[in-house]
Amino acid sequence: MNRQKLYIFLAMGCIAGYVWLVCVGTGGDYTICFFKRMLGIPCPACGSTRAVSELLHGNLMASLHINPNGILLLLMMFIFPVWIVADVLMKADSLYRFYLWIDKKLKYKKVFVTVLFIIILNWTWNIYKGL
Amino acid sequence: MDVQKVDTFIMTNGKYFPAHQVGPLREMLLNADESKWLMIQTLQFKDPTITLVISLIGGSLGIDRFFIGDMGLGIGKLITCGGLGIWAIVDWFLIMEAARDKNIQKIQMIL
């Protein structure tokens, strides 16, 4: 995963995210989750689209209630494109180094287990909410 | 290193590495000294087939990426629900080669 591949990947991801928001905004089935379709229970990211939608309408509390993930995703969708363009224009690699730093930190068991624990907590809440 | 040892290693472990890099790997092993042999023996490689099975079963949760050591991508996959399902499907085709790439990086760090 080198700098170029990462930037292209993130850029495509953000574009896909925006396209997805537009598609969903025009009315459609939200359930693209394999997990939910096959097992019937929501996955940790279920409700993210609805959460991002609420945020774009300015409803922070509603968004947090549906899935806190939404804030994280929207932040990434705002920050990454700007960061990538800045890096490309300045011929820098600060986003790439940030990605490597996150990767390194997650290799520590304590960090990884903590993040996983938070995700599982959110997942349990999702199931409880019956998303 | 000893030709026989190297060839045995390549025969048993060749499938863990990208096909086009098995040749250069063999050269690197032949040129390496015996002291590296012990370290190489302790290496654990990720089986691409097992990785594919994991990807088919739990791909949308990013478990396949976590398995091969791509923590950042794994979390990304998890919080985007397998990248809107698309990334999960794409990874079914990419993950075996990704596992092999990780394996060759591991052994190249020693050689």
Side-chain angles (χ1 to χ4, degrees):
Chain A
M1 182 57 71
N2 59 25
R3 177 180 174 270
Q4 205 180 31
K5 266 196 211 165
L6 179 72
Y7 287 8
I8 294 175
F9 176 73
L10 286 176
M12 292 208 303
C14 290
I15 293 173
Y18 284 118
V19 167
W20 172 241
L21 279 174
V22 167
C23 286
V24 151
T26 55
D29 186 8
Y30 285 93
T31 318
I32 41 147
C33 183
F34 285 129
F35 203 80
K36 197 172 179 188
R37 279 194 193 273
M38 297 233 261
L39 297 173
I41 45 174
C43 77
C46 274
S48 300
T49 318
R50 277 164 280 177
V52 172
S53 220
E54 288 290 341
L55 271 177
L56 289 173
H57 287 112
N59 305 329
L60 179 61
M61 288 316 289
S63 168
L64 275 174
H65 191 76
I66 297 177
N67 196 332
N69 213 12
I71 296 185
L72 187 62
L73 285 173
L74 192 63
L75 273 175
M76 293 203 301
M77 278 170 63
F78 276 163
I79 296 177
F80 283 170
V82 175
W83 202 342
I84 291 174
V85 169
D87 259 1
V88 168
L89 285 176
M90 295 200 289
K91 296 203 196 308
D93 62 353
S94 52
L95 178 56
Y96 183 53
R97 277 186 280 121
F98 174 68
Y99 163 75
L100 289 174
W101 180 81
I102 298 258
D103 217 41
K104 205 167 75 153
K105 285 285 171 246
L106 281 170
K107 286 203 164 47
Y108 291 111
K109 261 210 174 107
K110 278 198 186 143
V111 178
F112 186 64
V113 169
T114 313
V115 171
L116 210 61
F117 183 64
I118 296 172
I119 291 176
I120 291 178
L121 267 180
N122 191 21
W123 192 358
T124 320
W125 191 23
N126 269 4
I127 300 174
Y128 176 71
K129 280 180 279 190
L131 273 175
Chain B
M1 276 200 277
D2 177 33
V3 180
Q4 228 177 2
K5 243 191 235 172
V6 170
D7 279 334
T8 316
F9 179 81
I10 296 285
M11 276 203 293
T12 25
N13 298 301
K15 60 181 189 263
Y16 293 131
F17 307 111
H20 63 279
Q21 288 191 292
V22 173
L25 175 66
R26 188 175 175 275
E27 289 303 314
M28 281 196 280
L29 283 168
L30 284 170
N31 294 329
D33 55 29
E34 287 298 318
S35 59
K36 302 245 165 99
W37 179 239
L38 261 168
M39 285 194 279
I40 292 177
Q41 275 186 310
T42 60
L43 283 177
Q44 294 274 17
F45 299 115
K46 303 286 186 222
D47 188 343
T49 315
I50 303 283
T51 317
L52 178 62
V53 171
I54 294 175
S55 192
L56 290 169
I57 299 176
S60 54
L61 293 177
I63 306 178
D64 52 351
R65 287 285 167 180
F66 289 132
F67 183 68
I68 61 171
D70 260 336
M71 301 308 188
L73 286 183
I75 297 279
K77 213 172 165 187
L78 182 57
I79 61 174
T80 57
C81 207
L84 301 171
I86 303 172
W87 186 359
I89 297 176
V90 166
D91 255 359
W92 290 346
F93 300 98
L94 297 183
I95 202 75
M96 282 180 90
E97 201 55 28
R100 293 194 187 105
D101 283 334
K102 288 284 178 186
N103 287 336
I104 195 94
Q105 277 169 25
K106 227 189 230 180
I107 197 167
Q108 275 173 339
M109 280 213 290
I110 293 191
L111 291 175

